[in-house]
């Protein structure tokens, strides 16, 4: 009897609990319903019907040509979520974009690739002026090579509007067209005081753009630069972000940059406009060789630069570890304001070539070719540099480089181990000490052995610098530099799994190239198409008569069989190239004999739709009887073009890289190198490499012509200059022979820039002239 009662009681309790659980489950289900969609019509309906707490699941697969307008009104506790069925398995391709409009909307797990946005942005926190996003987020997504077809077609990959929006845990890489990768807009009162978050992302390689407007992040613009933004950029990895001289361009007030890693990025974090930025706890890592890896460049007022670590940076001027610029007196909004009231404190510099530069960008010497409104003569004032540590394995003659006087800067309690090399200590503000170096990891080495009698300078508000680079408290500690003490664990700052998505990696296992042997002309294109990136096409000895352009759309090498030199005769149409250099086509030609019909080209980019870069290296090759050796059209760009140990003869035109004539600071290649080559009877455009437009932030364009011979060239050159390099900033012409070239000038060098020549032999070929200040059209 007792057994029966107990059994019934237990059974009743179980039923009661089951009912409760069922009721609770139904309640949860009602509050968090989900719908799976597999086409844009179903997606649009699901968005229209969505309520707070709903999940809209995009079915795995390719979503092509989709314009997603994600409208909705979620809540803080119950956002509306648009999520991939499997993170990374939903590809957004073709002409597609994503726009947010509403409150508390979240997008997760999408992969944007193989396409471009038909709009002004790939992801935009705004549908129209009446539908702006607030408290919305895109996370755990990838945007990769999603470029417009034309380089000059500007767009943004993430365009912020509204307030409290977030880009987090994403991987973004490969932008080649005009426009910053990320922009925060402040036009309209609904977008100021925005408190956006750009956090925990991996910004992968952005190739050199070849001109301005290639930033990875731009916060605001010149005309909203006095507005408060309060954008937070933190815990991001910037890897090889080389688009232009500014990796980040801060153009608004009260932005914060904390705990980011800038790794081998050819540019700087720049306070371009706006005031009161906090730059704290960031790492700037170079390789000790590349002079383009930058640090922090300061303009404007009230910035605090603290607890940052600079390692192996060899950049100078605009790309110095710390570059403090001169301003323009009474500067207009879009130019350069004077640096005032800036604090640079508790930072550590290890093996940096020019740790501190002041008066960067001063251009007083160019006053005769620039309007008064462009002259940067206003030096930094009321600026404090204190409690910093510098360690150099090789001593520097100058710790501080004064491009203009640093008389408005106060140096206090800074120390340097300069290996006994004397330097200007600025009235004891920079003191020599002997330090050791402790290795924490490959890219973090800590100066140790700081003297006990070094007391930190305590300036106004210095008490607010409460922690060091690693978050250790500075309370009751008199240490200077970015790092307190020596007991520091390896923080693995370059562990890529700490940044970006949880499903995508840009690490690629290297593979050995495969050689594909070709014996006749018909096989060449087929072998190129079948080859993998990096493979080698080997031409057996013989003559190859090619009638149609060979399309190069991947990294490929074409060469003769070892010990032989195959001849490729191109009989294609006039003005068509033997090698058509398509987007992502990076061609290496070695040990070939190339011959044209005097009307066609040896190499050329596409005339339009060069959505990505190309590349060209030519070695040990004979090139003759072409209209153009290389013809590069407008909106085409190659990071490197190299001719080495190559003979070029009997061509109407040579190397033509002057397609960018719009005076916007653009050019067709970052590095043009001609080494140990012979040019004979090239009638015009022997070397024509052009950058137009006065733009001091475009500091690229690199020409090296070395150990080469030019004979009987330039007979039909209209301007009577043999080597044309108008506007190119870095030029080195050395060890060459110029003989019987019917021109007035071998070269006209830009004296105010890094143009130089040496050890050249000139016979019956005009002269090399230095023009100190080059007149150029203003871009502004």
């Amino acid at each position: 009897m007792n057994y029966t009662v107990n059994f019934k009681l237990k059974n009743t309790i179980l039923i009661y609990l089951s009912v409760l659980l069922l009721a609770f489950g139904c309640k949860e289900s009602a509050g968090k319903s989900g719908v799976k969609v597999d086409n844009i019509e179903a997606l649009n309906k699901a968005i229209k019907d969505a309520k707070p707490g709903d999940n809209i699941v995009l079915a795995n697969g390719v979503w092509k040509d989709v314009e997603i307008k994600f409208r909705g009104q979620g809540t803080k506790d119950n956002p509306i979520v648009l999520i991939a069925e499997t993170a990374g398995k939903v590809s957004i391709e073709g002409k597609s974009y994503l726009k947010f409009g509403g409150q508390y909307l979240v997008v997760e797990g999408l992969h944007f690739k193989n396409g471009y946005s038909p709009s002004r942005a790939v992801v935009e926190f705004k549908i129209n002026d009446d539908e702006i996003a607030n408290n919305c987020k895109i996370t755990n997504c990838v945007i990769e090579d999603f470029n417009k077809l034309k380089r000059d077609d500007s767009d943004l990959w993430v365009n912020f509007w509204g307030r409290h929006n977030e880009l987090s845990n994403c991987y973004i890489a490969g932008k080649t067209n005009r426009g910053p990768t990320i922009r925060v807009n402040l036009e309209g009162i609904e977008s100021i005081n925005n408190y956006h978050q750009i956090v925990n992302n991996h910004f992968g390689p952005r190739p050199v753009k070849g001109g301005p407007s290639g930033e990875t992040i731009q916060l605001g613009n010149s005309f909203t630069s006095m507005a408060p933004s309060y954008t937070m950029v933190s815990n991001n990895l910037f890897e090889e972000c080389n688009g232009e001289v500014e990796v980040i361009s801060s153009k608004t007030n009260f932005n914060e940059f904390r705990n980011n890693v800038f790794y081998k990025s050819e540019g700087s974090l720049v306070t371009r406009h706006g005031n009161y930025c906090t730059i704290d706890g960031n790492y700037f890592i170079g390789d000790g060789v590349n002079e383009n890896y930058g640090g922090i460049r300061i303009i404007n007022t009230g910035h605090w630069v603290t607890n940052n670590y600079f390692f192996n940076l060899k950049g100078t001027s605009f790309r110095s570890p710390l570059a403090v610029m001169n301003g323009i007196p009474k500067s207009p909004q879009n130019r350069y304001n004077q640096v005032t009231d800036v604090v640079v404190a508790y930072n550590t510099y290890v093996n940096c070539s020019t740790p501190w530069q002041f008066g960067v960008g001063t251009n007083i010497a160019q006053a005769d070719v620039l309007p008064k409104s462009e002259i940067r003569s206003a030096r930094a004032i009321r600026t404090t540099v204190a409690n910093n540590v510098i360690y150099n394995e090789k001593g520097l003659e100058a710790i501080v480089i004064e491009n203009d006087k640093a008389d408005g800067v106060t140096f206090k309690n800074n120390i340097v181990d300069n290996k006994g090399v004397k330097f200007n200590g600025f009235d004891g503000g920079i003191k020599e000490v002997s330090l050791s170096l402790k290795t924490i990891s490959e890219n973090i080495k800590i100066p140790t052995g700081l003297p006990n009698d070094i007391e930190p300078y305590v300036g106004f508000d210095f008490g607010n610098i409460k922690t060091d680079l690693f978050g250790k408290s500075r309370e009751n500690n008199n240490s200077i530099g970015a790092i307190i003490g020596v007991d520091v664990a390896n923080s693995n700052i370059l562990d890529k799994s700490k940044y970006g998505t949880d499903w995508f990696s840009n690490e690629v296992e290297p593979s050995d190239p495969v050689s594909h042997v070709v014996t006749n002309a018909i096989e060449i294109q087929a072998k190129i198409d079948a080859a993998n990136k990096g493979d080698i096409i080997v031409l057996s000895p013989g003559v190859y008569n090619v009638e149609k352009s060979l399309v190069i759309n991947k990294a490929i090498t074409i060469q003769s069989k070892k010990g032989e030199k195959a001849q490729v005769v191109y009989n294609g149409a006039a003005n068509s190239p033997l090698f058509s250099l398509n987007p992502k086509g990076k061609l290496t030609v070695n040990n070939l004999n190339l011959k044209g019909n005097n009307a066609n080209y040896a190499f050329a980019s596409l005339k339009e739709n060069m959505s990505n870069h190309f590349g060209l290296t030519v070695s040990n090759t004979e090139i003759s009887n072409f209209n153009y050796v290389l013809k590069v059209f407008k909106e085409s760009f190659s990071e490197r073009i190299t001719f080495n140990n190559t003979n070029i003869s009997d061509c109407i035109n040579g190397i033509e890289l002057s397609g960018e004539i719009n005076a916007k600071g653009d050019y067709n290649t970052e590095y043009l190198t001609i080494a140990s080559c012979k040019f004979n009877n090239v009638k015009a455009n022997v070397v024509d490499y052009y950058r137009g437009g006065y733009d001091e932030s475009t500091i690229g364009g690199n020409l090296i012509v070395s150990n080469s011979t030019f004979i009987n060239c330039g007979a039909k050159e209209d301007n009577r200059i043999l080597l044309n390099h108008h506007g190119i900033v870095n030029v080195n012409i050395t060890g060459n022979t110029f003989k019987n070239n019917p021109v007035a000038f071998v070269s006209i060098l830009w004296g105010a820039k890094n143009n130089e020549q040496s050890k050249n032999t000139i016979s019956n070929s005009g002269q090399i002239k230095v023009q100190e200040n080059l007149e150029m059209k203003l871009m502004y």
Side-chain angles (χ1 to χ4, degrees):
M1 184 71 176
N2 289 337
Y3 175 82
T4 304
V5 172
N6 287 337
F7 176 80
K8 289 182 177 179
L9 181 62
K10 288 179 181 179
N11 196 39
T12 301
I13 293 171
L14 287 173
I15 293 171
Y16 179 71
L17 288 173
S18 298
V19 171
L20 282 177
L21 288 171
L22 182 61
F24 180 76
C26 290
K27 184 178 179 181
E28 283 293 293
S29 178
K32 275 195 175 291
S33 64
V35 58
K36 182 177 175 181
V37 295
D38 60 7
N39 60 71
I40 190 64
E41 291 78 14
L43 173 59
N44 288 337
K45 184 178 186 305
I47 290 172
K48 183 179 179 181
D49 295 341
K51 296 177 178 60
D54 284 357
N55 287 342
I56 303 171
V57 181
L58 273 67
N60 289 346
V62 175
W63 291 64
K64 189 172 182 180
D65 299 333
V66 290
E67 299 180 1
I68 302 173
K69 296 177 180 178
F70 189 16
R71 297 177 167 96
Q73 297 294 324
T75 66
K76 183 177 181 179
D77 295 328
N78 287 289
I80 301 171
V81 179
L82 178 63
I83 189 169
E85 179 182 3
T86 304
K89 299 296 184 181
V90 174
S91 298
I92 308 298
E93 303 187 14
K95 299 178 184 179
S96 300
Y97 62 65
L98 165 68
K99 296 179 185 291
F100 291 85
Q103 296 268 0
Y104 294 105
L105 308 175
V106 178
V107 172
E108 296 185 39
L110 309 184
H111 191 172
F112 292 83
K113 63 180 182 178
N114 300 328
Y116 64 93
S117 171
S119 180
R120 61 187 173 186
V122 179
V123 176
E124 187 159 25
F125 289 94
K126 173 181 178 178
I127 294 175
N128 54 53
D129 289 344
D130 296 320
E131 295 180 282
I132 296 174
N134 295 292
N135 301 293
C136 294
K137 175 167 69 172
I138 179 167
T139 188
N140 205 30
C141 293
V142 169
I143 307 176
E144 183 184 24
D145 295 338
F146 214 70
N147 291 297
K148 297 276 194 182
L149 295 179
K150 295 184 178 181
R151 185 171 73 141
D152 286 353
D153 284 354
S154 181
D155 74 346
L156 305 152
W157 282 8
V158 181
N159 196 16
F160 280 88
W161 300 89
R163 292 181 174 180
H164 298 285
N165 295 313
E166 180 179 311
L167 171 71
S168 62
N169 296 99
C170 290
Y171 177 80
I172 299 177
K175 194 172 195 292
T176 58
N177 63 306
R178 178 177 288 273
T181 308
I182 315 294
R183 177 184 284 160
V184 171
N185 290 282
L186 285 89
E187 288 93 346
I189 58 173
E190 67 278 357
S191 293
I192 63 173
N193 295 309
N194 54 66
Y195 294 94
H196 296 314
Q197 300 278 314
I198 302 172
V199 295
N200 304 322
N201 301 288
H202 181 179
F203 294 103
R206 174 164 189 176
V208 176
K209 177 186 166 292
S213 195
E215 305 94 330
T216 296
I217 296 178
Q218 184 187 78
L219 306 181
N221 60 43
S222 302
F223 304 104
T224 59
S225 59
M226 292 298 104
S229 183
Y230 295 100
T231 294
M232 172 68 77
V233 180
S234 66
N235 299 301
N236 301 287
L237 171 61
F238 295 87
E239 178 189 17
E240 297 180 19
C241 294
N242 302 336
E244 61 144 89
V245 71
E246 299 181 9
V247 177
I248 296 178
S249 186
S250 181
K251 296 187 173 185
T252 46
N253 292 335
F254 304 111
N255 298 312
E256 296 188 31
F257 306 93
R258 295 184 182 274
N259 309 116
N260 301 287
V261 178
F262 297 83
Y263 179 64
K264 293 185 178 179
S265 289
E266 294 187 352
S268 301
L269 193 171
V270 183
T271 61
R272 182 62 182 86
H273 298 303
N275 307 304
Y276 312 114
C277 286
T278 298
I279 305 174
D280 181 83
N282 302 283
Y283 300 83
F284 298 85
I285 309 296
D287 64 356
V289 178
N290 190 325
E291 295 181 359
N292 291 332
Y293 299 149
I296 297 170
R297 179 154 54 98
I298 297 296
I299 306 141
N300 280 68
T301 291
H303 311 301
W304 283 68
V305 180
T306 56
N307 291 320
N308 300 289
Y309 177 79
F310 305 82
F311 179 70
N312 265 359
L313 299 178
K314 301 302 175 184
T316 61
S317 187
F318 279 65
R319 289 182 167 111
S320 299
L322 176 71
V324 178
M325 290 197 67
N326 265 18
I328 297 170
K330 299 180 180 179
S331 175
Q333 273 188 303
N334 67 332
R335 304 308 297 125
Y336 286 86
N337 284 302
Q338 184 177 22
V339 173
T340 70
D341 306 296
V342 167
V343 173
V344 180
Y346 292 106
N347 302 285
T348 294
Y349 303 78
V350 175
N351 292 333
C352 296
S353 293
T354 58
W356 298 330
Q357 286 209 17
F358 291 86
V360 171
T362 183
N363 57 0
I364 298 171
Q366 294 174 271
D368 58 339
V369 295
L370 293 174
K372 186 177 180 180
S373 61
E374 281 293 313
I375 301 303
R376 294 188 292 276
S377 59
R379 301 191 289 267
I381 60 173
R382 300 192 304 274
T383 292
T384 302
V385 178
N387 304 337
N388 301 286
V389 175
I390 297 173
Y391 179 96
N392 297 314
E393 290 179 345
K394 295 182 179 180
L396 305 175
E397 292 183 3
I399 303 302
V400 177
I401 291 181
E402 296 179 276
N403 300 278
D404 198 352
K405 291 181 180 179
D407 51 4
V409 181
T410 300
F411 295 90
K412 292 286 187 180
N413 292 29
N414 303 284
I415 64 170
V416 56
D417 185 337
N418 204 42
K419 296 297 180 283
V421 177
K422 293 183 178 179
F423 58 89
N424 181 356
F426 286 83
D427 299 324
I430 310 173
K431 297 179 180 179
E432 169 82 11
V433 299
S434 180
L435 301 171
S436 299
L437 204 60
K438 179 180 179 179
T439 298
I440 304 301
S441 67
E442 181 182 356
N443 296 296
I444 302 179
K445 299 183 180 182
I446 300 175
T448 63
L450 277 65
N452 293 326
D453 60 350
I454 296 291
E455 290 290 333
Y457 172 73
V458 181
F460 180 76
D461 260 359
F462 273 43
N464 288 328
I465 309 172
K466 296 184 181 298
T467 58
D468 76 345
L469 176 66
F470 297 109
K472 290 184 179 179
S473 175
R474 290 193 178 275
E475 190 175 356
N476 301 320
N477 193 299
N478 66 349
S479 182
I480 65 174
I483 303 159
I484 295 173
V486 297
D487 296 325
V488 176
N490 183 1
S491 60
N492 296 315
I493 59 169
L494 293 179
D495 178 359
K496 294 181 183 180
S497 67
K498 291 183 172 183
Y499 314 93
T501 72
D502 60 13
W503 55 268
F504 180 89
S505 172
N506 70 344
E507 297 287 347
V508 178
E509 288 291 329
S511 60
D512 294 329
V514 175
S515 294
H516 307 266
V517 178
V518 173
T519 59
N520 62 72
I522 297 175
E523 291 182 321
I524 299 176
Q525 186 67 63
K527 292 289 187 180
I528 292 171
D529 293 343
N532 292 318
K533 177 181 176 182
D535 282 357
I536 302 169
I537 309 298
V538 180
L539 303 187
S540 298
V543 177
Y544 295 78
N545 289 294
V546 176
E547 306 294 331
K548 186 179 178 180
S549 295
L550 298 172
V551 176
I552 308 298
N553 56 13
K554 67 188 73 169
I556 204 83
T557 295
I558 302 178
Q559 64 185 38
S560 296
K561 199 169 184 179
K562 189 173 182 180
E564 305 287 345
K565 183 170 281 191
Q567 184 179 54
V568 180
V569 179
Y570 183 49
N571 300 308
N575 303 320
S576 71
L578 168 56
F579 295 103
S580 176
L581 302 169
N582 282 228
K584 297 187 178 182
K586 296 187 177 180
L587 174 64
T588 297
V589 167
N590 184 39
N591 196 33
L592 294 179
N593 187 332
L594 309 179
K595 188 172 183 178
N597 63 9
N598 295 307
N600 49 31
Y601 309 157
F603 309 94
S605 66
L606 298 181
K607 290 183 179 180
E608 58 183 11
N609 296 338
M610 285 295 289
S611 61
N612 215 306
H613 295 352
F614 72 94
L616 179 63
T617 299
V618 182
S619 299
N620 309 307
T621 292
E622 307 285 334
I623 302 174
S624 63
N625 299 102
F626 285 96
N627 183 0
Y628 279 90
V629 175
L630 171 63
K631 177 72 171 177
V632 178
F633 293 95
K634 180 175 171 56
E635 298 187 279
S636 299
F637 185 79
S638 171
E639 189 165 348
R640 293 182 183 275
I641 295 173
T642 301
F643 288 83
N644 179 59
N645 196 32
T646 289
N647 296 338
I648 297 172
S649 61
D650 299 318
C651 292
I652 297 172
N653 294 280
I655 299 169
E656 172 75 49
L657 295 155
S658 60
E660 300 295 351
I661 59 174
N662 54 11
K664 291 184 177 180
D666 295 325
Y667 44 100
N668 289 124
T669 187
E670 190 68 23
Y671 296 95
L672 173 60
T673 301
I674 299 168
S676 301
C677 293
K678 294 180 180 179
F679 290 74
N680 187 17
N681 192 30
V682 179
K683 294 180 174 58
N685 299 303
V686 180
V687 175
D688 195 354
Y689 182 18
Y690 180 86
R691 180 183 73 87
Y694 173 74
D695 173 33
E696 69 293 314
S697 66
T698 303
I699 58 178
N702 298 269
L703 172 64
I704 297 175
V705 182
S706 65
N707 304 314
S708 295
T709 301
F710 298 80
I711 299 174
N712 193 30
C713 292
K716 292 187 177 181
E717 183 58 72
D718 291 338
N719 67 9
R720 303 196 67 200
I721 303 172
L722 189 69
L723 306 180
N724 286 279
H725 44 80
H726 178 92
I728 301 302
V729 174
N730 304 297
V731 176
N732 190 356
I733 301 171
T734 182
N736 304 287
T737 298
F738 301 94
K739 183 178 180 180
N740 297 332
N741 299 293
V743 295
F745 301 99
V746 167
S747 165
I748 297 179
L749 300 175
W750 191 358
K753 299 297 182 180
N754 188 28
N755 284 204
E756 57 186 41
Q757 65 92 17
S758 63
K759 301 178 182 179
N760 296 294
T761 300
I762 302 175
S763 173
N764 192 30
S765 298
Q767 60 176 311
I768 295 180
K769 176 184 175 182
V770 177
Q771 181 175 325
E772 187 63 23
N773 293 315
L774 185 67
E775 290 193 34
M776 299 186 76
K777 181 180 177 181
L778 288 176
M779 293 172 54
Y780 307 101

